[in-house]
Amino acid sequence: MGDSLTNTAGHFFVTGDPMIIASDVAIVLVSLGIVFTLTYFKKWKWLWREWLTTVDHKKIAIMYLISAILMLFRGGVDALLMRTQLALPNMKLLSAEHYDQIFTTHGTIMILFMAMPFIFAMFNAVVPLQIGARDVAFPYLNAISFWLFFFGALLFNISFVIGGSPDAGWTSYPPLTELQFDPGVGENYYLLALSISGIGTIATGINFLATIIKMRAPGMTLMKMPLFTWAVLGTCIIILFVFPVLSVALALLLIDRLFGAHFFTMMYGGNPMQFVNLFWIWGHPEVYIAVLPAFGIYSEVVSTFSQKKIFGYKSMVASIMAISIIGNLTWVHHFFTMGAGPAVNTFFSITTMAVAIPTGVKVFNWLMTMYRGRITLSLPMMWVLAFIPNFALAGATGVWLAEAPTDYQYHNSYFTVAHFHQALIGGVVYGMLAGMYYWWPKMFGFKLKEKFGKWAFWFFNIGFYVCFIPQYVLGLMGMQRRMYTYTPDMHWTALNFVSTIGAYLMGIGFLCIAAQIIHSLVHMEKDLTGDPWGGRTLEWSLPSPPPHYNFAVIPQVSDRDEWWERKRRGEQDALKPRPEDIRNVHMPKNSGVPFLMGVCFFIAGFGFTFGWIAVGAAGLLGVLVCLAHRSLDQHPDHDIPADEIRRTEAALGRL
Amino acid sequence: MRPSWWKFAFTLAAGAGISLLTSGCGEEIRVFQPAGPVARSELELIWLQMGLTAVVIIPVILLLAWIVIRYRNKPGNRAPYQPEFAESRTLEIVWWAIPIVIVGILGTVTWHKTYALAQSPNPSKEPLKIEVMSLNWKWLFFYPDQKIATVNYAEIPTDRPVEFLLTANAPMNAFWVPNLGGMEYTMPGMVTSLWLQADKAGEYYGHGGNFTGPGFAQMQFRVVAKPQSDFDAWVRQVANSAPDMTKADYDKLTQPSVLGELSFSSYPEGIFEQTVMDEGGMYMDHDRAMLGNMMPHS
């Protein structure tokens, strides 16, 4: 009896690896610590009222940001484990199976559960404020998006302690991911977690598209929108085109695994190549989804800290739109070596290289924005300046990889690994950090101290080059990606060791960012002006953090850099509300249903992962109940009386 | 934060890159050590793309450094300040045009080479055919004209084009010998073709290029290139001294395992084609056409 129980538990809980045991203990202790703290300070009610049930885009942004930073930590630990395993030949730190799980979770987490929430944090924190809106178009749906992402990420993250992580790479190619070669629950975790958070992502795409199209302040024509908002618009268009493709691909593979269908099996007429096509039809545009918002952030930051109008606004808009269209025509470059034939390969080589044209234009326009400006080297600006050479190199290697004949040599080697890390770190992560530093005072009402931030910047940047430049060379030396070890006679040791040092430097950089946040919390320096950087767009005309209805009176816009122009003409007060203009404001009510819907999805996902159809069905039933509840809700919103708003504004010193 | 910090950072990055490329490991950068026309043709394009992208990258980095140093917001900076300077048609046309020209040149060369690489590098010479099968976690080579088979190593004659016909009896992998040329996927139920040729005699490192599970890191193999007469001698030696491969031997090879090198003086007739059919080729018109009359009677 006892034995069989241990056996069952042994299959359910992952045991036997000291590192995982340590993680288990840490997870339990941290959870207990959180529960204790909340109970001791009587914060449960506050947590539920203020955060779990919120539909306010500004709070959702903060939750996205915290999630993204936590996931950056988790993915970073994965990365350091891998780099440690590869530091020297024949290392015994990780077994092959464990290494395979770690590179799979690293890729999946960094792209789906770190980069995506990070960009959504920026969407939520900035877009409604920039366009003069009180919230997004569908605040309730926005909360659902967040909780689906959150519980998708949670489902994915418990895999390594309950049941085992996926281990076939973040690309999850069949037939390796079919039951024949990959029994067990790991792959199901991957499929279900991505499906759940993918629903949230599609909803976010719809939400922000509608917000930008319909909720702009009067006078803000499309060609007067800030560039970050334009970038979000382009991103949302891509999301709507490609995320459904991923959902379908994952669903088909899941049906294969759970119900024995044959969409992608080798036998019975299944076609694994079809999955590869579907995956990359989503997967390549996905990198533009991640990098376009970063481009938008760079445009805002460069303009603000050069105290100069953005150069070539129309070109910038055209290039965002060009990238979002051309990006959908490049996916085959991920499998030039699949024997599709020279005509197909040539076509996709040229479309892929074409993406470099609008991207190159953007880089030159950023440079010209700084030219004859007045450059202040604040933290956000430093990350932008570090991004330009970094991304120039990433773009160049992207063009090299885009050419089929040379891609035959680079494909799936460390050269490729170095390229996409350079594009995703040097492009996306630098952009998100720049955005985080830039909008932090607006989100939280206090500034981040620069002391540890400068340390973080130098550790992270120098670490980046030390880590990834050797990997380009390793690729040319014939080192394959996803190898858990290598032999000393390959002469790969020196470069791998250097690369590992760089990874640890980046790890120190991350710790410096954490230290900076804690340091700034302790030595709080409040942002009383609402405009700490000399900003140019509407969000800086509001106090930091803005009241929950954002604008007491929706502003009338006449210029592209509205706030900057007003300041130049000495009309700051024109954007402040006049008491007689304040009316009742119609706002959505908080709701616990999005959170509960996330819980239901989590239960469903967990059930299907283990093949417990009844549990899965129960979870989906719960989702339906949540949907019905919303449909039957007669009063999902309420009015804030004008008097209350006058009092709030007066307290903020704006009347 | 003085400007010299920036110079320092750039110098560091550039210096690290250059010193890595020129350090003593040149011999080991296999892609830069082509041993045949295919790898050489790919390397030519690598040099061209490096040169053409440098035309953009280097000016961008120098311009960035110069702009940041010259237009710093510090007291007494006498450089011009024009906050309204935000449009210039001429400049915009220039940098829409530069990348278009570069992509045009690279696209043309890519087009030409992509077609060339799909053909024999030397059509006047009779090619050698080798059928390659990736298994979990080993490489199996069949010589249909010589009737011999090897595991985890292959020998080829120099100065003669070799057509590798690739398939898998396991999850998708890729066949890659960096000194001889780029890779091609091996897929179950599919046959892909890869043309390579060695001009220099020698031993070349090969490895699987697409992850296939826990034994993937051990999926390396050797390709030995030697003059035709030595190659013929090797074939005779294997045919005379190595054991036969029975169906049972083959089935054992398809089981997951990591092995060393093996040689066989014969193998079951039509096993390669049969495997392609069994693993899904029977559903693909493309395969049936490619295998054509090589098919055993079924």
Side-chain angles (χ1 to χ4, degrees):
Chain A
M1 177 68 205
D3 275 356
S4 71
L5 200 65
T6 326
N7 267 336
T8 318
H11 282 291
F12 193 71
F13 293 106
V14 180
T15 50
D17 189 308
M19 266 189 281
I20 290 184
I21 302 278
S23 322
D24 290 356
V25 172
I27 288 168
V28 171
L29 287 178
V30 169
S31 311
L32 286 175
I34 291 171
V35 170
F36 175 79
T37 312
L38 286 171
T39 313
Y40 184 81
F41 290 105
K42 300 195 171 59
K43 286 286 186 193
W44 283 105
K45 198 168 249 180
W46 165 83
L47 184 73
W48 177 256
R49 273 226 186 113
E50 295 287 318
W51 295 97
L52 300 189
T53 60
T54 188
V55 292
D56 180 353
H57 68 96
K58 297 179 287 298
K59 284 185 171 163
I60 289 174
I62 289 171
M63 293 194 291
Y64 269 124
L65 183 67
I66 293 168
S67 309
I69 290 172
L70 285 174
M71 287 294 104
L72 182 60
F73 176 74
R74 154 91 215 253
V77 171
D78 282 348
L80 289 182
L81 283 170
M82 285 191 284
R83 278 317 323 166
T84 313
Q85 165 67 19
L86 291 175
L88 294 167
N90 296 332
M91 285 277 275
K92 294 278 185 285
L93 174 75
L94 303 173
S95 66
E97 288 79 5
H98 197 171
Y99 185 89
D100 297 346
Q101 294 186 359
I102 287 181
F103 75 66
T104 302
T105 53
H106 169 77
T108 312
I109 282 175
M110 284 302 204
I111 291 183
L112 273 305
F113 301 129
M114 186 282 286
M116 295 307 282
F118 223 140
I119 70 167
F120 291 160
M122 296 298 146
F123 282 22
N124 275 291
V126 180
V127 169
L129 301 178
Q130 263 195 343
I131 62 175
R134 292 212 164 102
D135 205 319
V136 294
F138 312 111
Y140 178 88
L141 185 67
N142 201 16
I144 290 180
S145 286
F146 172 76
W147 290 112
L148 291 193
F149 148 75
F150 180 88
F151 283 105
L154 190 66
L155 185 65
F156 191 83
N157 273 282
I158 60 168
S159 67
F160 79 109
V161 292
I162 300 177
S165 291
D167 59 358
W170 83 278
T171 47
S172 177
Y173 282 7
L176 183 59
T177 50
E178 291 283 4
L179 282 176
Q180 183 190 352
F181 297 102
D182 198 359
V185 297
E187 185 60 27
N188 297 351
Y189 268 122
Y190 167 94
L191 295 167
L192 285 152
L194 264 61
S195 298
I196 292 170
S197 60
I199 299 169
T201 303
I202 294 171
T204 302
I206 294 170
N207 214 336
F208 278 86
L209 195 65
T211 306
I212 294 169
I213 299 286
K214 300 293 291 179
M215 315 262 296
R216 298 192 306 278
M220 185 182 279
T221 57
L222 281 176
M223 291 314 271
K224 283 184 184 152
M225 285 199 312
L227 277 171
F228 177 71
T229 302
W230 262 113
V232 174
L233 183 67
T235 307
C236 290
I237 291 170
I238 313 179
I239 286 177
L240 287 191
F241 269 104
V242 300
F243 257 85
V245 180
L246 176 72
S247 298
V248 168
L250 297 174
L252 295 180
L253 186 51
L254 192 65
I255 292 168
D256 273 10
R257 289 180 59 90
L258 288 183
F259 306 112
H262 293 284
F263 292 110
F264 307 126
T265 55
M266 302 188 310
M267 302 313 301
Y268 311 107
N271 190 341
M273 286 179 299
Q274 189 62 20
F275 180 90
V276 177
N277 266 289
L278 291 173
F279 183 88
W280 287 115
I281 286 173
W282 162 79
H284 199 79
E286 161 67 17
V287 303
Y288 300 123
I289 289 170
V291 89
L292 276 182
F295 286 174
I297 291 170
Y298 295 130
S299 301
E300 303 286 333
V301 173
V302 161
S303 179
T304 298
F305 292 104
S306 306
Q307 297 176 45
K308 194 163 164 288
K309 268 190 182 155
I310 192 82
F311 190 89
Y313 177 89
K314 288 185 184 127
S315 274
M316 291 305 240
V317 172
S319 60
I320 288 170
M321 288 296 132
I323 290 171
S324 65
I325 292 163
I326 303 170
N328 285 296
L329 301 172
T330 62
W331 80 94
V332 174
H333 69 222
H334 291 271
F335 41 95
F336 279 150
T337 60
M338 207 180 248
V344 172
N345 282 1
T346 303
F347 175 83
F348 282 96
S349 288
I350 290 169
T351 54
T352 306
M353 281 191 275
V355 176
I357 298 166
T359 314
V361 168
K362 292 186 92 68
V363 171
F364 282 113
N365 280 339
W366 287 318
L367 285 175
M368 286 310 289
T369 303
M370 290 187 261
Y371 175 76
R372 300 202 171 165
R374 276 290 174 271
I375 301 169
T376 310
L377 287 179
S378 63
L379 270 180
M381 190 64 176
M382 282 166 68
W383 285 101
V384 176
L385 296 177
F387 144 83
I388 289 175
N390 203 330
F391 200 77
L393 197 52
T397 53
V399 170
W400 306 359
L401 276 155
E403 290 150 56
T406 46
D407 179 73
Y408 300 159
Q409 285 283 34
Y410 301 141
H411 184 63
N412 268 359
S413 75
Y414 261 83
F415 188 94
T416 307
V417 172
H419 158 74
F420 67 70
H421 280 87
Q422 184 144 28
L424 285 165
I425 296 175
V428 180
V429 176
Y430 283 21
M432 292 306 128
L433 288 171
M436 181 181 88
Y437 286 124
Y438 184 54
W439 283 301
W440 186 280
K442 188 52 59 187
M443 288 170 84
F444 293 94
F446 67 94
K447 277 174 145 172
L448 282 178
K449 295 222 179 284
E450 294 219 334
K451 181 173 145 187
F452 285 107
K454 291 250 162 94
W455 283 99
F457 175 85
W458 289 108
F459 269 116
F460 205 88
N461 259 288
I462 292 169
F464 177 86
Y465 290 103
V466 175
C467 183
F468 290 105
I469 299 293
Q471 292 187 8
Y472 281 115
V473 184
L474 280 168
L476 298 171
M477 291 167 85
M479 186 168 173
Q480 281 299 316
R481 71 194 284 196
R482 299 175 175 173
M483 291 172 74
Y484 77 97
T485 189
Y486 54 95
T487 50
D489 58 338
M490 297 308 301
H491 300 272
W492 296 340
T493 313
L495 289 174
N496 269 305
F497 194 77
V498 170
S499 178
T500 302
I501 293 172
Y504 274 92
L505 291 175
M506 287 165 83
I508 296 170
F510 175 84
L511 292 179
C512 289
I513 292 174
Q516 178 189 17
I517 292 171
I518 293 164
H519 178 78
S520 308
L521 275 169
V522 174
H523 301 275
M524 180 92 58
E525 185 189 338
K526 282 222 182 300
D527 169 30
L528 300 171
T529 59
D531 186 15
W533 312 114
R536 310 176 69 84
T537 41
L538 283 179
E539 73 268 34
W540 303 110
S541 70
L542 293 170
S544 298
H548 65 105
Y549 48 79
N550 296 352
F551 294 90
V553 176
I554 301 289
Q556 172 72 35
V557 175
S558 55
D559 289 292
R560 196 174 285 156
D561 289 336
E562 179 70 13
W563 177 234
W564 177 259
E565 295 296 333
R566 296 273 186 176
K567 286 192 288 188
R568 205 170 53 86
R569 299 198 294 259
E571 297 171 3
Q572 289 93 315
D573 288 346
L575 283 176
K576 287 184 178 166
R578 287 184 307 196
E580 63 272 22
D581 290 345
I582 293 181
R583 302 271 176 279
N584 290 358
V585 172
H586 199 66
M587 292 297 281
K589 276 185 195 155
N590 280 1
S591 168
V593 178
F595 177 79
L596 295 176
M597 198 193 262
V599 173
C600 292
F601 264 109
F602 181 81
I603 293 167
F606 194 79
F608 285 126
T609 295
F610 283 87
W612 304 332
I613 304 299
V615 178
L620 289 181
L621 193 66
V623 173
L624 286 176
V625 171
C626 293
L627 291 171
H629 174 276
R630 172 69 176 180
S631 304
L632 300 170
D633 192 351
Q634 300 286 338
H635 303 289
D637 32 36
H638 66 290
D639 274 337
I640 309 175
D643 284 343
E644 191 183 318
I645 291 178
R646 286 193 196 99
R647 279 197 299 277
T648 311
E649 293 289 311
L652 290 165
R654 288 169 60 80
L655 284 182
Chain B
M1 269 285 306
R2 297 176 311 284
S4 58
W5 279 58
W6 284 102
K7 286 184 196 159
F8 167 74
F10 289 131
T11 322
L12 191 84
I18 289 163
S19 61
L20 280 171
L21 283 170
T22 55
S23 64
C25 53
E27 192 55 36
E28 298 302 329
I29 303 183
R30 293 178 174 80
V31 172
F32 287 175
Q33 302 291 333
V38 174
R40 235 191 337 272
S41 162
E42 286 158 356
L43 184 59
E44 281 165 12
L45 182 54
I46 291 180
W47 292 125
L48 178 71
Q49 62 194 198
M50 280 187 178
L52 283 177
T53 44
V55 169
V56 175
I57 302 306
I58 291 169
V60 162
I61 292 174
L62 294 175
L63 200 60
L64 175 76
W66 176 74
I67 286 175
V68 172
I69 290 164
R70 180 158 164 80
Y71 296 103
R72 279 291 298 281
N73 187 14
K74 52 181 191 280
N77 187 344
R78 306 266 298 278
Y81 172 51
Q82 294 177 307
E84 297 300 309
F85 174 54
E87 275 184 46
S88 157
R89 181 156 300 197
T90 322
L91 288 173
E92 296 261 25
I93 288 171
V94 167
W95 50 71
W96 276 100
I98 293 173
I100 289 174
V101 169
I102 290 177
V103 168
I105 297 170
L106 287 174
T108 310
V109 177
T110 297
W111 180 26
H112 173 79
K113 279 193 191 283
T114 308
Y115 274 85
L117 291 174
Q119 316 286 331
S120 165
N122 189 350
S124 61
K125 269 201 152 166
E126 173 68 18
L128 172 72
K129 248 195 190 45
I130 300 181
E131 293 165 343
V132 184
M133 193 185 287
S134 67
L135 303 165
N136 269 355
W137 289 283
K138 58 203 84 80
W139 291 91
L140 179 51
F141 299 90
F142 300 112
Y143 290 75
D145 300 334
Q146 288 74 12
K147 306 284 183 228
I148 60 169
T150 57
V151 172
N152 287 339
Y153 83 104
E155 304 225 347
I156 57 171
T158 49
D159 297 321
R160 182 176 163 190
V162 183
E163 184 177 21
F164 291 92
L165 292 166
L166 313 164
T167 194
N169 191 353
M172 181 170 101
N173 208 309
F175 178 83
W176 190 32
V177 189
N179 292 99
L180 298 180
M183 68 174 70
E184 191 74 18
Y185 281 146
T186 61
M187 293 173 281
M190 297 281 292
V191 181
T192 45
S193 134
L194 176 67
W195 286 95
L196 297 175
Q197 178 177 324
D199 294 345
K200 281 192 242 164
E203 251 193 46
Y204 304 112
Y205 163 86
H207 198 286
N210 193 63
F211 179 72
T212 48
F216 169 73
Q218 279 82 24
M219 278 189 79
Q220 64 183 69
F221 58 92
R222 286 185 311 141
V223 173
V224 184
K226 46 177 65 167
Q228 182 71 45
S229 54
D230 295 9
F231 171 78
D232 292 337
W234 169 78
V235 170
R236 276 194 302 277
Q237 183 230 317
V238 170
N240 294 333
S241 63
D244 293 330
M245 182 196 296
T246 61
K247 183 73 174 65
D249 291 331
Y250 170 76
D251 290 338
K252 197 161 163 240
L253 284 172
T254 61
Q255 297 305 310
S257 63
V258 173
L259 292 180
E261 297 179 354
L262 300 170
S263 311
F264 295 98
S265 57
S266 73
Y267 58 89
E269 177 83 25
I271 193 79
F272 180 83
E273 295 78 8
Q274 193 56 52
T275 302
V276 174
M277 283 294 128
D278 290 350
E279 292 302 320
M282 59 178 112
Y283 306 100
M284 309 225 181
D285 298 343
H286 163 89
D287 276 15
R288 285 206 293 275
M290 185 145 183
L291 293 170
N293 49 14
M294 294 160 46
M295 274 300 301
H297 304 292
S298 50

